[in-house]
Amino acid sequence: MALFSVATARLSQACLLLFVMSVIGFIGVHSIGNPVFNIVNIETATPEDIRRATIALGLDQPIWHQYLVFMSNVLRGNFGTSYIYHLPAFDLVMSKLPATLELACVAMLIAAPAGIGFGLLAGRQKGTTFDRTVLRACIFALSLPSFWLSMMLILGGAILTGWFPAGGRGATVSALGSYWSVLSVDGLRHMVLPVLALAIPNIALIARLSRSGTIEVENQDFTRFCRAKGLSPHRILMRHTLPNISVPIVTIIGLQFGGMLAFAVVVETIFAWPGVGKLLIDSIQLLDRPVVMATLTFISVAFVGLNAIVDLYHAVLDPRVRLAS
């Protein structure tokens, strides 16, 4: 019953947050520029042509009326048609999703085990040279702006050495109705640099969290009791330390994965990776409002949904969360 109340509360909060984000996003998108000028030929269009195009797009209505129309269409699964590509906006976003999804999944598959491993080893060797090196490297990695890190990876991995391509997605293989770079050798080569740009800050974040959790657990009475019983350090680490730090680690992994889906805009733009983030930037520049709103809605739902799942998972593992709710 307590878990059901937690789920209900999280769902209500998620719905309210999505509503607020839709209002803010809609007002922000519709306060920038006039998309009609990107649709009609300004050099030959007459004022009457511009007026008819404005009416056809529904842009002559008050913004509150446009928002109500937008929400009523969204509830029916219709995000409108792209002004530029002349395709259903949501279908266009979904066509770019596999590129973003494989980038985020591969980056997290690298970041999670690497971050946990470095954090556990550093925590077990607190105060040693290895621990200080890991801690300083984490601070340095977390302080790097993503655009600077991406450009340095291009400089080192593509321009100076020529080991990897500087951008693009490379060859893709069709599977499950979509095209995937991860299934081809050329596609994997194109993925290396953008994956590293996403993975390096997350390795640092997970490593710092794992290190602090390991140090805290290692100082607990039950860990000392396990040592007094003569249990091996490896058994203590795998059977006691790792399970006790798993909840915050899983929480941060879920949140960071949602962040990769939502905020990979800079990395995708710099590496010309044809994902959802690059589509968002291109659509904003072209004032393609249906695509912008479809992209923002998808990103919001994905990010809020992953946060809600993480909260529920936390409540399942930790009874104190259910009691606090």
Side-chain angles (χ1 to χ4, degrees):
M1 190 66 181
L3 184 59
F4 177 76
S5 63
V6 172
T8 303
R10 294 295 186 272
L11 182 61
S12 302
Q13 294 171 5
C15 292
L16 178 61
L17 181 59
L18 288 174
F19 170 73
V20 173
M21 293 174 71
S22 70
V23 173
I24 295 174
F26 191 88
I27 294 175
V29 169
H30 285 70
S31 63
I32 302 175
N34 188 347
V36 173
F37 298 131
N38 288 338
I39 299 173
V40 301
N41 190 337
I42 299 299
E43 296 180 357
T44 60
T46 64
E48 181 62 22
D49 294 332
I50 296 176
R51 188 185 70 84
R52 284 199 299 265
T54 303
I55 295 174
L57 296 177
L59 302 179
D60 59 319
Q61 301 295 326
I63 191 168
W64 62 266
H65 184 270
Q66 295 182 45
Y67 177 75
L68 292 178
V69 173
F70 166 75
M71 287 302 299
S72 65
N73 290 333
V74 167
L75 294 176
R76 294 195 297 267
N78 178 22
F79 284 85
T81 302
S82 168
Y83 298 158
I84 306 299
Y85 303 101
H86 305 292
L87 296 171
F90 190 73
D91 292 347
L92 191 60
V93 174
M94 289 297 100
S95 69
K96 303 294 183 180
L97 178 60
T100 297
L101 193 60
E102 66 179 354
L103 206 62
C105 288
V106 174
M108 188 53 72
L109 286 175
I110 295 173
I116 293 172
F118 282 125
L120 287 173
L121 292 175
R124 291 295 301 273
Q125 304 175 42
K126 180 184 177 182
T128 64
T129 302
F130 178 79
D131 176 42
R132 291 193 295 270
T133 302
V134 169
L135 191 57
R136 289 169 183 170
C138 290
I139 295 174
F140 178 72
L142 289 173
S143 64
L144 296 177
S146 59
F147 69 88
W148 187 87
L149 176 60
S150 299
M151 290 188 292
M152 290 303 101
L153 288 171
I154 291 175
L155 178 63
I159 297 175
L160 297 181
T161 63
W163 290 344
F164 305 105
R169 196 179 178 193
T172 58
V173 176
S174 177
L176 302 176
S178 298
Y179 291 93
W180 307 90
S181 298
V182 74
L183 299 179
S184 71
V185 175
D186 183 60
L188 286 172
R189 290 185 67 249
H190 281 78
M191 290 183 67
V192 171
L193 296 183
V195 162
L196 287 176
L198 288 176
I200 288 174
N202 286 284
I203 292 174
L205 182 61
I206 296 171
R208 288 198 65 183
L209 182 63
S210 302
R211 175 188 176 275
S212 61
T214 301
I215 293 173
E216 181 180 354
V217 172
E218 290 287 314
N219 292 326
Q220 297 293 325
D221 291 337
F222 72 87
T223 306
R224 297 194 185 99
F225 179 73
C226 290
R227 292 198 196 97
K229 286 181 62 178
L231 296 180
S232 66
H234 180 267
R235 183 178 177 84
I236 294 174
L237 181 67
M238 301 306 295
R239 294 292 300 273
H240 299 283
T241 303
L242 190 56
N244 277 279
I245 68 173
S246 62
V247 172
I249 290 177
V250 170
T251 300
I252 199 64
I253 288 175
L255 296 179
Q256 289 303 109
F257 183 75
M260 285 184 184
L261 293 177
F263 307 119
V265 175
V266 174
V267 173
E268 289 188 358
T269 302
I270 292 176
F271 288 98
W273 189 264
V276 175
K278 188 173 185 302
L279 175 65
L280 176 61
I281 293 298
D282 293 342
S283 300
I284 291 175
Q285 292 175 341
L286 296 172
L287 298 179
D288 197 349
R289 291 179 178 177
V291 178
V292 173
M293 287 307 302
T295 307
L296 290 177
T297 302
F298 166 76
I299 290 174
S300 301
V301 171
F303 189 74
V304 172
L306 283 170
N307 275 268
I309 292 173
V310 168
D311 284 344
L312 292 177
Y313 177 77
H314 198 173
V316 170
L317 293 185
D318 193 345
R320 292 172 297 181
V321 176
R322 299 197 294 269
L323 294 176
S325 300

